[in-house]
């Protein structure tokens, strides 16, 4: 395939806009982007430990401890004893954390949907088909 710099530029531009939308949405929920990313990671990996989060985001153990302390103080996660390791704790998203993630994602998706207002139903159908082909 012939690389088209316009396509790659547009994808980078889309990524930047969508990232900025999350940053615009989060303040009303009183959490930071890294807190949101950690909650999403924990929701996808319900039986992980702190080092798993540190490895995923390239953070130190100290930074992860501070992050988890904040999330736990807000009642968004709980630390539970690990079933096979006395030195580790499982970190799980609480019902409150899941509810918050859903609220944030609803607001975030509404913001993203604003990008599609100028398109016709037919154009959106074509876009959807093209996006479904992406190997993600």
């Amino acid at each position: 395939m012939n690389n088209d710099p316009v396509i790659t530029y547009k994808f980078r531009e889309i990524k930047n806009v969508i990232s900025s939308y999350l940053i615009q949405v989060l303040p009303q929920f009183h959490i930071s982007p890294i807190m949101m990313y950690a909650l999403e990671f924990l929701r996808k990996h319900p039986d992980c430990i702190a080092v798993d989060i540190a490895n995923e985001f390239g953070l130190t153990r100290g930074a992860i401890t501070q992050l988890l302390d904040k999330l736990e103080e807000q009642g968004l996660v709980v630390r539970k004893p690990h079933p096979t390791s006395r030195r580790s704790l499982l970190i799980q998203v609480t019902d409150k954390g899941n509810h918050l993630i859903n609220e944030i994602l609803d607001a975030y998706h509404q913001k993203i949907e604003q990008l599609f207002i100028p398109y016709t139903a037919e154009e959106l159908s074509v876009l959807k088909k093209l996006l479904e082909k992406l190997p993600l």
Side-chain angles (χ1 to χ4, degrees):
M1 180 187 140
N2 190 5
N3 289 334
D4 187 338
V6 172
I7 293 173
T8 56
Y9 173 79
K10 278 298 188 183
F11 268 97
R12 284 194 333 269
E13 206 171 43
I14 291 166
K15 178 246 178 224
N16 291 337
V17 167
I18 290 175
S19 292
S20 77
Y21 286 172
L22 182 62
I23 291 167
Q24 292 169 27
V25 165
L26 287 179
Q28 66 186 319
F29 298 99
H30 309 290
I31 69 167
S32 67
I34 189 62
M35 292 169 81
M36 177 62 186
Y37 298 141
L39 286 170
E40 281 194 295
F41 179 80
L42 287 167
R43 192 152 85 163
K44 291 176 185 170
H45 305 90
D47 293 325
C48 74
I49 59 176
V51 73
D52 297 329
I53 303 167
N55 291 339
E56 177 69 15
F57 298 107
L59 298 172
T60 64
R61 289 180 188 218
I64 289 300
T65 299
Q66 288 179 355
L67 173 65
L68 292 174
D69 287 347
K70 288 179 187 176
L71 291 170
E72 195 169 41
E73 285 169 16
Q74 293 183 22
L76 304 175
V77 301
V78 291
R79 294 171 171 134
K80 295 183 176 181
H82 194 283
T84 59
S85 172
R86 292 186 311 158
R87 299 179 71 196
S88 298
L89 295 171
L90 291 178
I91 301 136
Q92 297 175 333
V93 178
T94 63
D95 289 341
K96 180 180 178 182
N98 277 312
H99 181 74
L100 180 66
I101 292 169
N102 290 335
E103 283 187 69
I104 291 168
L105 291 177
D106 285 345
Y108 183 43
H109 292 159
Q110 287 176 15
K111 190 99 170 138
I112 292 169
E113 286 174 1
Q114 299 302 305
L115 290 171
F116 304 114
I117 289 173
Y119 296 96
T120 66
E122 184 179 324
E123 288 171 326
L124 289 173
S125 177
V126 170
L127 177 60
K128 182 180 176 183
K129 286 178 185 172
L130 291 171
L131 290 172
E132 287 172 345
K133 284 183 144 182
L134 287 173
L136 304 175

